[in-house]
Amino acid sequence: MKRRSHGGRSHGARAGRAPRALTAAAALVLLAGCTALFPPHDKRADAALQPVVGAQARGDVTLVERPDGVQVTYNLAGLPPNSDHALQVHERGDCNAGDGSSAGPIFSPAADRLRAGARAAGDLGNIHADANGVAAGFIVAPDLALDGVRSAFGRSVLVYRDPIDPAFPQHGAGPALACGVAR
């Protein structure tokens, strides 16, 4: 019995190439599909705010890094009805003091401290509680990040009894009502 020659190649070598090519193509399709099914995760931190001694405010604050800064989404309850309150990020991730003072001063990276009259990066602005004492919404903080020197990650988030007056931010916002650490 004579065997036919296939140009010096055996039939088995040619047959082995096709499954490998199909396997490689399938792997590429699967990898491309993974990025569509599982997009890259945003940098994110969550803070569960608990009331300080004598207060009833509580809720959640979520920080998500976006190209234009950090989006701070808040959902707080137990605030005085129809009132405005300062929302701030503080230097230390410590809410152990009964009045929230263990959180330290408002977060302000070194460069902010050097500019006279500069708004501190941790000053998120004022939020409004409705007739039921609920404040929900979001703020974009362009001077914050979730890593590096402007990172809010691991720092305390506090809500205060009073709003901050933008013309006189050094006057403060009264006592803290709730505190939580962004993790």
Side-chain angles (χ1 to χ4, degrees):
M1 183 175 206
K2 265 186 156 182
R3 289 191 149 176
R4 287 187 151 177
S5 172
H6 296 286
R9 292 185 222 138
S10 72
H11 179 68
R14 191 171 34 185
R17 259 185 271 173
R20 277 188 258 149
L22 286 174
T23 302
L28 288 174
V29 169
L30 285 174
L31 287 174
C34 285
T35 59
L37 293 174
F38 303 106
H41 293 288
D42 292 324
K43 293 178 188 166
R44 177 186 171 126
D46 296 296
L49 275 62
Q50 299 297 318
V52 299
V53 173
Q56 297 175 4
R58 67 178 53 225
D60 297 308
V61 174
T62 300
L63 298 95
V64 177
E65 193 166 308
R66 303 278 188 221
D68 57 343
V70 171
Q71 181 175 315
V72 181
T73 304
Y74 56 90
N75 188 2
L76 304 167
L79 297 166
N82 299 314
S83 57
D84 293 325
H85 307 275
L87 185 63
Q88 298 180 343
V89 174
H90 282 250
E91 288 283 341
R92 293 189 294 270
D94 183 354
C95 292
N96 291 322
D99 62 355
S101 62
S102 57
I106 188 169
F107 176 55
S108 183
D112 289 351
R113 292 184 191 137
L114 298 175
R115 294 188 323 222
R119 180 177 169 168
D123 181 7
L124 302 176
N126 296 322
I127 60 174
H128 182 76
D130 65 15
N132 295 316
V134 173
F138 73 92
I139 298 168
V140 176
D143 297 326
L144 286 181
L146 291 179
D147 62 5
V149 296
R150 295 192 173 278
S151 180
F153 191 84
R155 300 187 191 282
S156 296
V157 179
L158 287 90
V159 63
Y160 285 88
R161 181 190 68 197
D162 302 320
I164 285 284
D165 183 346
F168 302 101
Q170 67 277 13
H171 289 176
L177 296 177
C179 182
V181 179
R183 302 181 197 273

